[in-house]
Amino acid sequence: IREEQKELIKKNRAISFPNQIKITDDITYVKRILSGQAKLMLKAFNTECDALMGLVKPSNYAKILERINKTATDLEKSSIALKCSFEIDYIKLKYTECELQYQFKLKHEEERTEQALIREQIREEQKVIKEYERAIAESEKEERIYRDALVKVRSELNNANESQKTELKQKIEILEMQLKEAEAKGLRAKSLAEQTKKGHVYIISNIGSFGENVYKIGLTRRLDPSERVKELSGASVPFPFDVHAIIYNNDAPALESQLHKAFSHMRVNKINRRKEFFNVNLDEIKNKIIDITGNEEDFKMTAAAENYYESLKLSS
């Protein structure tokens, strides 16, 4: 595009001006004035456009186009007495250059967002790994406690009289049940740690913060998915999130990705894909999940939004 602009300048097709204008009878001098004015206009226009191209970003693309147009118009007004004006083809090339800058910045922003998302996923996975390790360690500790207690109670049983045996046998049954629960908890934590694709896809809303029919569709691999929702309900939003569904899936990332793809045209923020908010009806989300998983998932269709509604009452 820059080469095309240079070619138009070289061929004197960037700015149009008359061959002759009544200033003086010296034709050569008049031509020099007109040529000099054209060069000044080009230099001023190109300098301003270069500065504007450096400012282009997804949020101000339309304004930059307007400023390019305004710069050309203002320069033409200042040269109206000499009848100098920009050729439309040259202006169009500047628009195209601006559009390419916009597309480049948009792609760059997408790449930055993607990298940030990867970093966030790594942090989340590290949290999950620590959580699994903690859960495994806790279950192993519980198992040791219950095994030691069983050894002790069984030893007491051998030396107990008949009236004590009944009570000790009941104790043994309770301890055996608690040991099984601790072992099951440990096995589940180990299984989830080994299969990192397993996780929960959550559907949450925040009417007080974002209004109605705006839902966040996210993913967490934590043992307790509600911990992730509590994090999101922190100081960055005025009201806590309401949970509509938490769906456990063997391939949670794939389920989340399919949902994001299905509602991509309904994204609230179409630039930053880390912002997983969608302006969509909850029934549509529920039906899509049923289509994907084949399961009738349990959904809470109404948002409690207790803090929000209580705040409205207090305000009134």
Side-chain angles (χ1 to χ4, degrees):
I1 294 297
R2 283 294 184 96
E3 288 302 318
E4 286 183 47
Q5 290 174 25
K6 287 176 185 176
E7 193 64 25
L8 287 182
I9 294 169
K10 190 177 176 182
K11 291 178 179 179
N12 294 320
R13 286 171 50 202
I15 287 188
S16 62
F17 54 88
N19 291 325
Q20 181 64 358
I21 193 166
K22 191 64 180 174
I23 299 174
T24 176
D25 293 332
D26 189 339
I27 295 171
T28 305
Y29 182 61
V30 170
K31 283 184 177 178
R32 197 183 303 157
I33 290 172
L34 293 171
S35 177
Q37 182 63 19
K39 284 178 183 176
L40 279 172
M41 286 175 69
L42 271 173
K43 189 172 183 180
F45 183 62
N46 289 337
T47 301
E48 180 67 14
C49 284
D50 287 346
L52 289 172
M53 297 302 171
L55 299 173
V56 174
K57 53 186 177 182
S59 59
N60 68 359
Y61 168 58
K63 285 185 179 178
I64 297 293
L65 286 178
E66 287 173 11
R67 285 182 65 180
I68 289 170
N69 184 59
K70 187 177 183 303
T71 301
T73 304
D74 289 346
L75 286 167
E76 285 179 342
K77 283 179 182 177
S78 68
S79 303
I80 196 165
L82 299 175
K83 299 180 181 178
C84 296
S85 62
F86 289 97
E87 292 285 359
I88 191 66
D89 288 342
Y90 190 74
I91 301 295
K92 281 181 178 178
L93 285 175
K94 286 296 182 188
Y95 287 162
T96 306
E97 184 183 346
C98 184
E99 184 185 353
L100 291 170
Q101 283 285 0
Y102 161 72
Q103 289 173 357
F104 170 74
K105 293 286 179 72
L106 193 63
K107 186 68 180 171
H108 184 62
E109 188 66 33
E110 284 175 6
E111 287 172 356
R112 279 178 53 194
T113 301
E114 199 174 294
Q115 289 301 313
L117 185 59
I118 290 166
R119 287 195 297 272
E120 188 178 322
Q121 285 173 343
I122 290 168
R123 285 196 297 271
E124 181 68 16
E125 283 172 9
Q126 285 172 341
K127 279 185 184 177
V128 169
I129 289 164
K130 284 180 182 176
E131 190 177 342
Y132 290 151
E133 287 173 349
R134 189 165 56 249
I136 292 165
E138 284 174 3
S139 67
E140 287 174 350
K141 185 181 176 182
E142 284 179 20
E143 285 176 42
R144 281 197 304 274
I145 292 168
Y146 295 136
R147 284 197 183 99
D148 291 345
L150 275 168
V151 169
K152 186 181 176 184
V153 175
R154 281 169 182 158
S155 174
E156 289 173 2
L157 184 64
N158 293 331
N159 302 317
N161 57 40
E162 287 302 317
S163 62
Q164 293 172 323
K165 280 183 179 179
T166 305
E167 186 182 339
L168 289 170
K169 282 177 182 177
Q170 286 177 348
K171 261 189 181 182
I172 288 169
E173 284 179 13
I174 292 166
L175 285 168
E176 283 176 343
M177 185 177 68
Q178 289 172 328
L179 177 61
K180 280 181 182 177
E181 286 175 2
E183 286 172 344
K185 192 162 71 173
L187 285 171
R188 180 169 171 265
K190 285 172 186 174
S191 172
L192 287 170
E194 288 165 5
Q195 300 177 54
T196 54
K197 285 189 176 181
K198 289 185 177 182
H200 295 85
V201 171
Y202 55 82
I203 317 297
I204 57 178
S205 70
N206 195 323
I207 292 174
S209 303
F210 309 114
E212 294 185 4
N213 288 332
V214 174
Y215 299 94
K216 179 173 172 63
I217 303 172
L219 159 70
T220 180
R221 295 189 182 91
R222 299 192 191 178
L223 285 169
D224 184 1
S226 62
E227 287 298 317
R228 177 60 179 153
V229 179
K230 283 178 188 174
E231 269 185 14
L232 294 168
S233 299
S236 58
V237 286
F239 301 101
F241 279 91
D242 285 295
V243 178
H244 295 277
I246 292 180
I247 300 142
Y248 178 76
N249 195 274
N250 287 330
D251 194 350
L255 175 58
E256 183 200 37
S257 177
Q258 284 176 280
L259 289 171
H260 285 184
K261 190 175 180 181
F263 303 118
S264 62
H265 59 294
M266 299 177 182
R267 276 185 178 273
V268 175
N269 188 331
K270 300 186 190 306
I271 306 300
N272 189 342
R273 302 186 75 79
R274 289 174 67 200
K275 308 294 183 183
E276 303 163 327
F277 291 90
F278 301 84
N279 198 335
V280 60
N281 188 284
L282 190 58
D283 283 314
E284 290 182 64
I285 300 174
K286 183 179 180 180
N287 293 334
K288 191 65 189 176
I289 289 171
I290 293 169
D291 287 344
I292 295 167
T293 64
N295 300 322
E296 185 72 35
E297 303 293 348
D298 184 29
F299 263 71
K300 290 179 183 174
M301 301 306 290
T302 307
E306 291 174 3
N307 287 11
Y308 170 62
Y309 290 121
E310 284 298 320
S311 296
L312 287 181
K313 283 181 186 177
L314 290 170
S315 296
S316 61

